Amino acid sequence: MKKQFFLLASIIFLTSACSIYHVDSKDTTSEYYPPKNSANDVVYLEKVDRPHDIISTITVNTERIQTMDNVLEKIKREAAILGADAVTDIKTDATGIWKKLPAQKVIGNAYVRENFTASAIIFK
């Protein structure tokens, strides 16, 4: 019994500091764009002032406590794989069951996971 308790306690302790990211992308074009060499080749733009096409919508699902820098790194990495030049239009939203719970005014910011959605673009 002691062994099982210590094993369970060890597993909980070791995994409690882990961050779980789920990255998903949905292509909005059938064109192929070669991947970038690095996420550093993709820039984040709040406002896009050049002609561009949206090639994908990227969604990162993670714990709410993650910093925007960590999330942006995951978004840019996915955008680099897709061949995007930049990412823009980042939005956040609660996920799953948290949005369906009653009394949303009371629990408004009590959700644990969050979706970050961005548009991956390629300049014309």
Side-chain angles (χ1 to χ4, degrees):
M1 184 69 174
K2 276 186 170 182
K3 274 187 174 181
Q4 291 175 340
F5 174 76
F6 284 118
L7 178 63
L8 179 62
S10 297
I11 291 172
I12 291 172
F13 176 74
L14 292 173
T15 60
S16 65
C18 295
S19 293
I20 299 173
Y21 291 92
H22 181 261
V23 181
D24 187 29
S25 59
K26 291 187 173 62
D27 293 335
T28 57
T29 183
S30 59
E31 297 292 319
Y32 171 77
Y33 300 99
K36 304 292 184 199
N37 293 330
S38 149
N40 295 330
D41 295 337
V42 178
V43 296
Y44 167 67
L45 300 172
E46 283 189 38
K47 183 178 179 188
V48 182
D49 55 0
R50 294 173 48 187
H52 64 279
D53 287 327
I54 298 174
I55 62 170
S56 182
T57 300
I58 300 169
T59 303
V60 175
N61 178 276
T62 188
E63 294 91 6
R64 183 180 145 192
I65 62 170
Q66 294 301 316
T67 64
M68 189 54 148
D69 290 338
N70 290 341
V71 173
L72 187 56
E73 179 183 317
K74 304 293 185 209
I75 290 172
K76 287 171 67 175
R77 183 172 153 252
E78 183 71 12
I81 292 169
L82 297 169
D85 293 323
V87 292
T88 188
D89 195 26
I90 295 179
K91 297 178 183 161
T92 64
D93 194 9
T95 63
I97 193 168
W98 295 103
K99 290 185 79 167
K100 298 175 188 171
L101 291 173
Q104 282 295 311
K105 288 183 182 178
V106 175
I107 63 166
N109 284 329
Y111 52 88
V112 176
R113 299 205 48 91
E114 190 168 18
N115 281 333
F116 293 85
T117 306
S119 297
I121 62 173
I122 190 107
F123 296 118
K124 291 183 180 181

